[in-house]
Amino acid sequence: MTEVSIILPTYNERENLPLIVEKLQKLMDGHSFEIVIVDDNSSDGTWQIGQELASHYANIQLIRRVNRKGLTSAILEGFLLGKGKYVAVTDADMQHDINLLPQMLEVIADYDMVVGSRYVHQTEVPGWDRARLWISRLGTQMACRLLQQNVTDPLSGFFMLHRDLIHQIAPKLHSDGFKILLEILFQCPNLRVKELPYEFGVRLHGSSKLDTKVMLDFLDLLISRSPLSKFGFQFIRYSIIGASGVAIHLLVLYLLYAQWQWPYALSLLIAIQIALASNYVWNNQWTFGEQRFMKSEWWTGLIRYNLACLLGSTYNLAIGWYLVHHGMNWVFASLLGIMVGISWNYMANQAFTWKK
Ligand code: GDD
Ligand code: MN
């Protein structure tokens, strides 16, 4: 019988994957274990490396997911495929200290879950500046308050649990949600959790896909706890960012038009562009974070976004300009313009900019 299935979610980890696999094979020698690689069709061909590894080792399986992205759903799929008595997950970049795995296996029988935790002792993370560590810790603490669970690292991506348990709760987990551990802790408030401390290391190769999202994760947590969650994460996130865009729009318009008395149409055009740019940044980071554009794609994304919003922006501009021209107060006029623009933009962005 397989004792443990170790899930490795990968996205562009071509250089790291063979290294972690070798290390796991050595480390877990003597245990009955399997490795499940879940790759989201990485553009660097990680899945091909996974295929080679799977044909070389009998205890390795690869799931290549196409047209889908997202860490939570990738891990969940790996868990559900695994046949071990226990299932575990760790990053493929070796930032987690996988040497803990045998120890996790020793204690898991007495608990529901064992979590590798970064913050038990660690006061510095290599490669992170103070701000990032601080943000990450604050988010973590707020999450703990809400959870009413005493877990120091509820955002950890390194943990092990009983396979039965994950099968029980799997249907309740949002696959487009935030961190999977947090979700599990949410769904099962009374889990017996054992934390094992470790030092979060530096990523071996490649770049991080998650970065400073902890605050946004925390917002997600609030959303999921509120009745709003019925409308779906994407729409709620989009609306919150939309609201911030409206505030930015009005602020810029206030400065340019009301304070500095620039022509209304020009002020409006600039306000729309600045609000759009801000919305793009945040939507890319958060609302559509799972499909987000990075590096050079970021600019093509911005262009797509502007194209998708073109009709909405034109309406926005035309309506605002027309109404002000006919004597309406500029705040109301721009709000009306925004309302028409927003509804169009959501549909257009979903269908065009960040299409799956
Ligand atoms: N299949 C799949 N799909 N894998 C993904 C995806 C995805 O959309 N996004 C990321 N991964 C894989 C990466 O290839 C890596 O193996 C692992 O998930 C974690 O991604 P990183 O990009 O290395 O995350 P990080 O180091 O910035 O984030 C760390 O902190 C998070 C909490 O703040 C990690 O420890 C995470 O596990 C942790 O949840
Ligand atoms: Mn990492």
PDB file of all heavy atoms in Angstrom, residues 133-148:
ATOM      1  N   LEU A 133       7.933  40.730   4.333  1.00  0.00           N
ATOM      2  CA  LEU A 133       7.808  39.842   5.485  1.00  0.00           C
ATOM      3  C   LEU A 133       6.715  40.360   6.416  1.00  0.00           C
ATOM      4  O   LEU A 133       5.878  39.616   6.920  1.00  0.00           O
ATOM      5  CB  LEU A 133       9.143  39.758   6.225  1.00  0.00           C
ATOM      6  CG  LEU A 133       9.160  38.786   7.401  1.00  0.00           C
ATOM      7  CD1 LEU A 133       8.999  37.352   6.906  1.00  0.00           C
ATOM      8  CD2 LEU A 133      10.447  38.898   8.207  1.00  0.00           C
ATOM      9  N   TRP A 134       6.730  41.677   6.611  1.00  0.00           N
ATOM     10  CA  TRP A 134       5.774  42.299   7.514  1.00  0.00           C
ATOM     11  C   TRP A 134       4.341  42.128   6.998  1.00  0.00           C
ATOM     12  O   TRP A 134       3.448  41.734   7.740  1.00  0.00           O
ATOM     13  CB  TRP A 134       6.128  43.783   7.659  1.00  0.00           C
ATOM     14  CG  TRP A 134       5.366  44.474   8.718  1.00  0.00           C
ATOM     15  CD1 TRP A 134       5.617  44.463  10.055  1.00  0.00           C
ATOM     16  CD2 TRP A 134       4.188  45.273   8.530  1.00  0.00           C
ATOM     17  NE1 TRP A 134       4.662  45.200  10.709  1.00  0.00           N
ATOM     18  CE2 TRP A 134       3.779  45.717   9.801  1.00  0.00           C
ATOM     19  CE3 TRP A 134       3.446  45.653   7.399  1.00  0.00           C
ATOM     20  CZ2 TRP A 134       2.659  46.517   9.986  1.00  0.00           C
ATOM     21  CZ3 TRP A 134       2.332  46.454   7.592  1.00  0.00           C
ATOM     22  CH2 TRP A 134       1.956  46.873   8.874  1.00  0.00           C
ATOM     23  N   ILE A 135       4.154  42.399   5.706  1.00  0.00           N
ATOM     24  CA  ILE A 135       2.832  42.248   5.099  1.00  0.00           C
ATOM     25  C   ILE A 135       2.361  40.810   5.229  1.00  0.00           C
ATOM     26  O   ILE A 135       1.224  40.522   5.612  1.00  0.00           O
ATOM     27  CB  ILE A 135       2.863  42.656   3.606  1.00  0.00           C
ATOM     28  CG1 ILE A 135       3.064  44.149   3.480  1.00  0.00           C
ATOM     29  CG2 ILE A 135       1.574  42.242   2.903  1.00  0.00           C
ATOM     30  CD1 ILE A 135       3.269  44.635   2.067  1.00  0.00           C
ATOM     31  N   SER A 136       3.295  39.901   4.941  1.00  0.00           N
ATOM     32  CA  SER A 136       2.954  38.495   4.987  1.00  0.00           C
ATOM     33  C   SER A 136       2.542  38.072   6.401  1.00  0.00           C
ATOM     34  O   SER A 136       1.572  37.342   6.595  1.00  0.00           O
ATOM     35  CB  SER A 136       4.167  37.697   4.503  1.00  0.00           C
ATOM     36  OG  SER A 136       3.889  36.336   4.552  1.00  0.00           O
ATOM     37  N   ARG A 137       3.259  38.582   7.391  1.00  0.00           N
ATOM     38  CA  ARG A 137       2.939  38.222   8.778  1.00  0.00           C
ATOM     39  C   ARG A 137       1.630  38.829   9.241  1.00  0.00           C
ATOM     40  O   ARG A 137       0.842  38.186   9.928  1.00  0.00           O
ATOM     41  CB  ARG A 137       4.042  38.726   9.701  1.00  0.00           C
ATOM     42  CG  ARG A 137       5.289  37.932   9.550  1.00  0.00           C
ATOM     43  CD  ARG A 137       6.084  38.067  10.792  1.00  0.00           C
ATOM     44  NE  ARG A 137       6.702  36.798  11.104  1.00  0.00           N
ATOM     45  CZ  ARG A 137       7.537  36.624  12.117  1.00  0.00           C
ATOM     46  NH1 ARG A 137       7.811  37.633  12.918  1.00  0.00           N
ATOM     47  NH2 ARG A 137       8.059  35.449  12.334  1.00  0.00           N
ATOM     48  N   LEU A 138       1.420  40.089   8.850  1.00  0.00           N
ATOM     49  CA  LEU A 138       0.181  40.757   9.252  1.00  0.00           C
ATOM     50  C   LEU A 138      -1.019  40.014   8.675  1.00  0.00           C
ATOM     51  O   LEU A 138      -1.983  39.708   9.383  1.00  0.00           O
ATOM     52  CB  LEU A 138       0.195  42.211   8.759  1.00  0.00           C
ATOM     53  CG  LEU A 138      -0.975  43.053   9.253  1.00  0.00           C
ATOM     54  CD1 LEU A 138      -0.827  43.312  10.747  1.00  0.00           C
ATOM     55  CD2 LEU A 138      -1.041  44.374   8.505  1.00  0.00           C
ATOM     56  N   GLY A 139      -0.920  39.693   7.372  1.00  0.00           N
ATOM     57  CA  GLY A 139      -2.005  38.956   6.719  1.00  0.00           C
ATOM     58  C   GLY A 139      -2.259  37.646   7.440  1.00  0.00           C
ATOM     59  O   GLY A 139      -3.396  37.245   7.686  1.00  0.00           O
ATOM     60  N   THR A 140      -1.163  36.988   7.797  1.00  0.00           N
ATOM     61  CA  THR A 140      -1.264  35.706   8.472  1.00  0.00           C
ATOM     62  C   THR A 140      -1.982  35.853   9.816  1.00  0.00           C
ATOM     63  O   THR A 140      -2.866  35.068  10.154  1.00  0.00           O
ATOM     64  CB  THR A 140       0.149  35.142   8.708  1.00  0.00           C
ATOM     65  OG1 THR A 140       0.802  35.055   7.460  1.00  0.00           O
ATOM     66  CG2 THR A 140       0.086  33.790   9.346  1.00  0.00           C
ATOM     67  N   GLN A 141      -1.598  36.890  10.547  1.00  0.00           N
ATOM     68  CA  GLN A 141      -2.215  37.070  11.866  1.00  0.00           C
ATOM     69  C   GLN A 141      -3.700  37.378  11.771  1.00  0.00           C
ATOM     70  O   GLN A 141      -4.502  36.856  12.539  1.00  0.00           O
ATOM     71  CB  GLN A 141      -1.502  38.187  12.624  1.00  0.00           C
ATOM     72  CG  GLN A 141      -0.311  37.637  13.382  1.00  0.00           C
ATOM     73  CD  GLN A 141       0.574  38.733  13.915  1.00  0.00           C
ATOM     74  OE1 GLN A 141       0.169  39.889  13.980  1.00  0.00           O
ATOM     75  NE2 GLN A 141       1.791  38.367  14.274  1.00  0.00           N
ATOM     76  N   MET A 142      -4.037  38.225  10.788  1.00  0.00           N
ATOM     77  CA  MET A 142      -5.464  38.544  10.631  1.00  0.00           C
ATOM     78  C   MET A 142      -6.244  37.296  10.254  1.00  0.00           C
ATOM     79  O   MET A 142      -7.350  37.071  10.744  1.00  0.00           O
ATOM     80  CB  MET A 142      -5.634  39.641   9.580  1.00  0.00           C
ATOM     81  CG  MET A 142      -5.095  40.969  10.076  1.00  0.00           C
ATOM     82  SD  MET A 142      -5.720  42.373   9.148  1.00  0.00           S
ATOM     83  CE  MET A 142      -4.755  42.276   7.687  1.00  0.00           C
ATOM     84  N   ALA A 143      -5.640  36.502   9.388  1.00  0.00           N
ATOM     85  CA  ALA A 143      -6.302  35.254   8.984  1.00  0.00           C
ATOM     86  C   ALA A 143      -6.538  34.355  10.200  1.00  0.00           C
ATOM     87  O   ALA A 143      -7.607  33.769  10.359  1.00  0.00           O
ATOM     88  CB  ALA A 143      -5.473  34.534   7.930  1.00  0.00           C
ATOM     89  N   CYS A 144      -5.535  34.293  11.085  1.00  0.00           N
ATOM     90  CA  CYS A 144      -5.663  33.449  12.279  1.00  0.00           C
ATOM     91  C   CYS A 144      -6.804  33.919  13.171  1.00  0.00           C
ATOM     92  O   CYS A 144      -7.571  33.116  13.697  1.00  0.00           O
ATOM     93  CB  CYS A 144      -4.377  33.456  13.084  1.00  0.00           C
ATOM     94  SG  CYS A 144      -3.095  32.500  12.310  1.00  0.00           S
ATOM     95  N   ARG A 145      -6.912  35.233  13.343  1.00  0.00           N
ATOM     96  CA  ARG A 145      -7.991  35.774  14.155  1.00  0.00           C
ATOM     97  C   ARG A 145      -9.340  35.302  13.630  1.00  0.00           C
ATOM     98  O   ARG A 145     -10.192  34.835  14.372  1.00  0.00           O
ATOM     99  CB  ARG A 145      -7.993  37.314  14.098  1.00  0.00           C
ATOM    100  CG  ARG A 145      -6.907  37.957  14.851  1.00  0.00           C
ATOM    101  CD  ARG A 145      -7.358  38.253  16.292  1.00  0.00           C
ATOM    102  NE  ARG A 145      -6.198  38.335  17.164  1.00  0.00           N
ATOM    103  CZ  ARG A 145      -5.458  39.430  17.283  1.00  0.00           C
ATOM    104  NH1 ARG A 145      -5.776  40.522  16.631  1.00  0.00           N
ATOM    105  NH2 ARG A 145      -4.404  39.422  18.058  1.00  0.00           N
ATOM    106  N   LEU A 146      -9.477  35.458  12.298  1.00  0.00           N
ATOM    107  CA  LEU A 146     -10.740  35.107  11.667  1.00  0.00           C
ATOM    108  C   LEU A 146     -11.031  33.621  11.783  1.00  0.00           C
ATOM    109  O   LEU A 146     -12.156  33.196  11.997  1.00  0.00           O
ATOM    110  CB  LEU A 146     -10.674  35.453  10.186  1.00  0.00           C
ATOM    111  CG  LEU A 146     -11.265  36.780   9.780  1.00  0.00           C
ATOM    112  CD1 LEU A 146     -11.153  36.911   8.277  1.00  0.00           C
ATOM    113  CD2 LEU A 146     -12.716  36.887  10.189  1.00  0.00           C
ATOM    114  N   LEU A 147      -9.991  32.855  11.614  1.00  0.00           N
ATOM    115  CA  LEU A 147     -10.138  31.408  11.627  1.00  0.00           C
ATOM    116  C   LEU A 147     -10.401  30.876  13.013  1.00  0.00           C
ATOM    117  O   LEU A 147     -10.969  29.809  13.180  1.00  0.00           O
ATOM    118  CB  LEU A 147      -8.838  30.754  11.162  1.00  0.00           C
ATOM    119  CG  LEU A 147      -8.547  30.665   9.701  1.00  0.00           C
ATOM    120  CD1 LEU A 147      -7.127  30.189   9.501  1.00  0.00           C
ATOM    121  CD2 LEU A 147      -9.501  29.681   9.067  1.00  0.00           C
ATOM    122  N   GLN A 148      -9.926  31.629  13.995  1.00  0.00           N
ATOM    123  CA  GLN A 148      -9.927  31.165  15.365  1.00  0.00           C
ATOM    124  C   GLN A 148      -9.226  29.835  15.463  1.00  0.00           C
ATOM    125  O   GLN A 148      -9.675  28.911  16.143  1.00  0.00           O
ATOM    126  CB  GLN A 148     -11.347  31.084  15.909  1.00  0.00           C
ATOM    127  CG  GLN A 148     -11.998  32.460  15.863  1.00  0.00           C
ATOM    128  CD  GLN A 148     -13.394  32.457  16.401  1.00  0.00           C
ATOM    129  OE1 GLN A 148     -14.163  31.539  16.117  1.00  0.00           O
ATOM    130  NE2 GLN A 148     -13.735  33.452  17.179  1.00  0.00           N
TER     131      GLN A 148
END
